[in-house]
Amino acid sequence: MTDVAGELGPLPRRLVAWAEVIAPVSLVSAVLFYFGYVSAHAQYEYFGVDVDVVGLGTQDYVMRSPQPLLVPLLTLALAGAGGLLLHLVLRRRIAVASRANRERRVRRLLRVAESAGAVVLAAAVALLFAYPRIGLGEFFGLLVPVLLICGAGLIWYTWRLADLLPPAAEPAGRDPGEPAAADPAPRLRRGARFLLAVVLVAATFWATATVAQWSGRGLARDVAARPDHLPRVILDTKERLYLRSTIVEETRLPVAEGQDFHYRYRRLRLLVTGKDRMFLIPEVWSASNTTLVVPIDDTVRVQFQVENDAPN
């Protein structure tokens, strides 16, 4: 690609260089945005808020993605390092077996591993279609993709190891001068490898998205159990809000000339700020509570109070 651009002149070379940089950055940004969105959706759904109503921007979702992606990335990195070491060991074993004419034993072990991968893959597909009857709950989103990864990965890797072995001996009885018939197996194997790679990528994406969803729900539960780190809000309104929560304290402000605000509400916490509104929750959260949506305009008066350490 770069050589072709070089023949066309300096401008195509710059375009190619920009494309080589922008394409990976765009892909990474899209992945970060997706997982940040999944995590935020699960987090605010716990409080009865649709994340699309909040009005967060792309940068907000990207900035929220490192936390839900931390565990999957560390897991993939450790698994990749362990897999690389295992691959080096297996390559040495296969090389030794080839020199000692033990290919038959290695091929038999690879066939066993391939069969095991096929069984695991079949179990994952069966669970995928039997989910409405079995009902695995929230574990379905992690169990099935992990089984797909293990099954498809094992089959793909056994085929990769089989390529390291010398070609199998030709069947006896065939005339050496007779041309060998075209073998469709290599082409079918390449197609099957591509499909297995697609399954691996999709299953990895699915499992990571499930972890991001669990991370968002865990953050929400942590906020609901300990909302002390959220800013405390004192809200003044012109009209009475008739809140359902018994935790929030309502006070009627004294009537005064030029005073437009008549009610004050305490024991509220700021959950999140959107583009043109704030989302407030009571200091003590329960399943019967509701989230208060307050516009950011002159119809309300808001005071924020953050609990900090006393200055020296």
Side-chain angles (χ1 to χ4, degrees):
M1 183 176 181
T2 307
D3 295 336
V4 174
E7 296 176 359
L8 296 178
L11 181 58
R13 284 201 301 270
R14 292 184 180 179
L15 294 177
V16 170
W18 291 343
E20 291 176 351
V21 174
I22 292 174
V25 171
S26 301
L27 179 60
V28 172
S29 299
V31 172
L32 293 178
F33 171 82
Y34 174 75
F35 289 110
Y37 177 84
V38 171
S39 177
H41 186 278
Q43 179 179 358
Y44 296 123
E45 186 182 32
Y46 183 85
F47 297 98
V49 178
D50 189 345
V51 71
D52 295 326
V53 178
V54 179
L56 298 177
T58 302
Q59 185 177 359
D60 298 319
Y61 291 121
V62 172
M63 295 298 293
R64 292 169 181 266
S65 61
Q67 183 168 2
L69 279 177
L70 181 60
V71 174
L73 288 178
L74 289 176
T75 303
L76 290 176
L78 293 175
L84 180 59
L85 294 177
L86 180 62
H87 178 67
L88 295 176
V89 172
L90 291 177
R91 286 195 62 173
R92 294 194 189 99
R93 295 289 181 88
I94 290 176
V96 172
S98 300
R99 289 195 296 267
N101 296 324
R102 298 175 182 172
E103 296 93 345
R104 183 177 301 178
R105 180 180 178 183
V106 174
R107 293 182 189 277
R108 184 166 58 249
L109 293 175
L110 292 180
R111 284 195 297 268
V112 172
E114 181 181 357
S115 301
V119 171
V120 175
L121 187 60
V125 174
L127 288 175
L128 187 63
F129 288 99
Y131 168 70
R133 297 183 179 180
I134 298 177
L136 296 175
E138 60 181 7
F139 295 101
F140 173 82
L142 188 61
L143 176 61
V144 174
V146 168
L147 290 178
L148 288 173
I149 292 172
C150 293
L154 189 57
I155 295 175
W156 185 90
Y157 188 62
T158 53
W159 290 352
R160 177 68 180 86
L161 291 179
D163 293 340
L164 300 178
L165 293 171
E170 296 183 356
R174 189 177 69 84
D175 187 2
E178 180 182 355
D183 186 8
R187 183 177 300 176
L188 295 176
R189 185 68 63 88
R190 285 194 296 269
R193 282 182 176 178
F194 174 76
L195 294 178
L196 289 176
V198 172
V199 171
L200 284 171
V201 173
T204 303
F205 203 85
W206 183 5
T208 308
T210 300
V211 174
Q213 186 177 11
W214 288 1
S215 175
R217 183 58 63 91
L219 289 174
R221 290 173 177 169
D222 183 67
V223 169
R226 293 177 294 274
D228 299 340
H229 64 283
L230 298 177
R232 178 177 290 155
V233 176
I234 300 175
L235 177 66
D236 295 341
T237 63
K238 298 179 179 181
E239 299 179 354
R240 189 176 182 184
L241 298 180
Y242 295 97
L243 299 178
R244 293 177 53 188
S245 175
T246 58
I247 303 300
V248 181
E249 298 177 356
E250 178 186 276
T251 305
R252 187 176 179 87
L253 298 175
V255 179
E257 184 178 356
Q259 174 65 267
D260 295 330
F261 299 96
H262 307 295
Y263 294 92
R264 173 163 292 178
Y265 296 91
R266 298 177 181 270
R267 302 194 67 186
L268 289 168
R269 298 280 179 166
L270 177 63
L271 177 64
V272 63
T273 303
K275 183 178 181 181
D276 55 357
R277 65 195 74 182
M278 296 179 295
F279 296 81
L280 310 178
I281 60 173
E283 284 190 348
V284 180
W285 179 263
S286 65
S288 61
N289 289 144
T290 57
T291 301
L292 178 62
V293 183
V294 178
I296 304 177
D297 54 24
D298 57 358
T299 60
V300 296
R301 184 170 59 194
V302 180
Q303 301 179 56
F304 295 102
Q305 180 181 2
V306 181
E307 298 177 2
N308 293 321
D309 298 332
N312 295 329

